[in-house]
Amino acid sequence: MLVLVAALLLLGIALGAVAQLPVPVSLAAATVIGCWLLIFAVRERHGRRTR
């Protein structure tokens, strides 16, 4: 339960910060984070297949 509360608190802080940024900056940051997550997922999937 504590982890859920902490996650919601961090989500609220992150959304509050994004609300203060201009839209193009928010979209650029979202694109960078999305690409990073995609690369991470591909590397993890590829790493598990070779083991």
Side-chain angles (χ1 to χ4, degrees):
M1 184 71 178
L2 184 61
V3 174
L4 180 62
V5 171
L8 288 173
L9 178 67
L10 289 173
L11 180 64
I13 291 170
L15 288 176
V18 169
Q20 301 299 322
L21 294 173
V23 174
V25 175
S26 298
L27 291 176
T31 302
V32 169
I33 292 169
C35 289
W36 176 67
L37 289 173
L38 183 64
I39 291 168
F40 177 77
V42 168
R43 289 181 62 192
E44 283 292 311
R45 186 176 195 107
H46 183 272
R48 291 180 190 220
R49 285 186 181 171
T50 58
R51 287 184 194 170

